[in-house]
Amino acid sequence: MFCGKEEIPSSDECIEIIVNIEIQNKDMPGYPIPKRGIYYGSRLISAQRGSVFKNQEYGKIKKVVSIWICENTSLSRSDTINEYRFSEVCKRGNYQEESKNYDLMRVIVMRLGAYGEDSEDDAIRLLSMVFSSERSPEYKKMVLSEEFQINVTEEISQEVSQMCNLSTGILEKGIEKGRAEGRAEGRAEGMMETLFNLVKEGFLTASVAAQQANMEMAEFERAYRAYCEDK
């Protein structure tokens, strides 16, 4: 998650926005991604109380954007981007509120899928290539440099190499290994330790790991911190 600035059209004024990015292996994990995105966005807004605004200072609330990147999707949903936002409907009269006073949340769902690398959308094409488990790090760096004109620094090079380890196969094998260890021991510690290690090594986000463990995010984070402290 990071905080950035967005320039208001027809104005030199900039507003701060809070952006949360989540990567999902599936776009239908058993619940609607848009609903989870709205839930996360709501939490990001309510969490601003006490740090961004106090008491009745609701005018200081920062806009939040929750972006969900789904890697494996069906062909019918591949290469699609859907955006969900608040909009005003004038039911009576001609008065219109300034959009900055209600347009406080955006949820964007990007579905990559099999058609992603052939997409006409630059963002979908770039992400599909970067997250592909079938492309080598060298190929990805070449495309970033030649097609997208991105200066591949040492830091970016390392990130690309790490991205190559985010394939679904690695994730599923790691989780299954943990489950097998858990079954052998008669408890779930094996799976949990595998999930903790995947998060620690950067192969898995904490939110996805919590989902795999069937735990609330806060509960998983407490367990993860305790695990790291013991190591």
Side-chain angles (χ1 to χ4, degrees):
M1 183 176 69
F2 63 93
C3 184
K5 291 188 176 182
E6 177 183 38
E7 186 171 328
I8 300 176
S10 303
S11 171
D12 293 331
E13 180 184 0
C14 285
I15 59 173
E16 289 187 275
I17 61 174
I18 298 173
V19 181
N20 174 65
I21 300 177
E22 299 286 337
I23 301 174
Q24 298 287 297
N25 288 318
K26 301 176 181 178
D27 71 324
M28 287 192 170
Y31 55 81
I33 290 289
K35 282 192 174 182
R36 187 177 178 190
I38 293 171
Y39 171 70
Y40 271 41
S42 300
R43 288 178 58 184
L44 290 173
I45 290 177
S46 63
Q48 296 178 44
R49 186 177 183 88
S51 58
V52 176
F53 72 97
K54 300 178 181 179
N55 302 321
Q56 304 295 313
E57 299 174 325
Y58 297 106
K60 295 183 179 180
I61 295 177
K62 297 177 182 178
K63 181 177 182 177
V64 302
V65 178
S66 184
I67 302 174
W68 296 74
I69 303 171
C70 305
E71 296 183 61
N72 301 302
T73 66
S74 70
L75 293 179
S76 62
R77 298 187 300 277
S78 176
D79 184 21
T80 59
I81 301 176
N82 295 85
E83 181 178 3
Y84 308 90
R85 63 167 77 177
F86 282 103
S87 62
E88 181 185 53
V89 177
C90 296
K91 296 300 235 180
R92 177 177 172 81
N94 297 317
Y95 174 73
Q96 289 185 302
E97 183 67 66
E98 291 185 80
S99 62
K100 67 179 182 180
N101 293 332
Y102 62 80
D103 185 18
L104 294 177
M105 185 193 304
R106 300 279 180 94
V107 176
I108 300 172
V109 181
M110 306 176 68
R111 295 177 172 87
L112 309 183
Y115 297 146
E117 285 196 59
D118 298 322
S119 175
E120 295 180 356
D121 183 88
D122 288 343
I124 288 285
R125 196 166 68 257
L126 185 150
L127 290 170
S128 297
M129 183 273 297
V130 169
F131 285 112
S132 173
S133 60
E134 300 177 358
R135 301 295 188 184
S136 68
E138 291 71 24
Y139 175 84
K140 295 179 180 181
K141 295 171 194 175
M142 181 269 291
V143 173
L144 287 174
S145 176
E146 296 184 4
E147 181 177 350
F148 295 98
Q149 306 300 309
I150 295 175
N151 181 24
V152 182
T153 63
E154 181 63 28
E155 182 179 0
I156 292 178
S157 179
Q158 293 177 0
E159 290 293 334
V160 170
S161 297
Q162 187 177 30
M163 286 278 189
C164 291
N165 294 320
L166 287 173
S167 66
T168 304
I170 291 177
L171 172 61
E172 291 181 346
K173 287 179 182 178
I175 292 175
E176 182 54 37
K177 178 177 180 292
R179 286 176 176 154
E181 292 174 355
R183 288 194 296 268
E185 297 174 0
R187 58 186 185 275
E189 281 82 353
M191 177 184 174
M192 290 303 300
E193 183 171 357
T194 299
L195 289 172
F196 290 151
N197 285 329
L198 288 171
V199 172
K200 190 174 183 179
E201 295 297 326
F203 298 142
L204 193 63
T205 64
S207 61
V208 174
Q211 175 190 334
Q212 292 290 338
N214 294 319
M215 298 170 67
E216 290 294 328
M217 185 65 179
E219 180 185 5
F220 180 86
E221 288 180 337
R222 286 195 296 270
Y224 176 66
R225 285 196 296 269
Y227 173 81
C228 292
E229 290 173 358
D230 291 338
K231 294 296 180 180

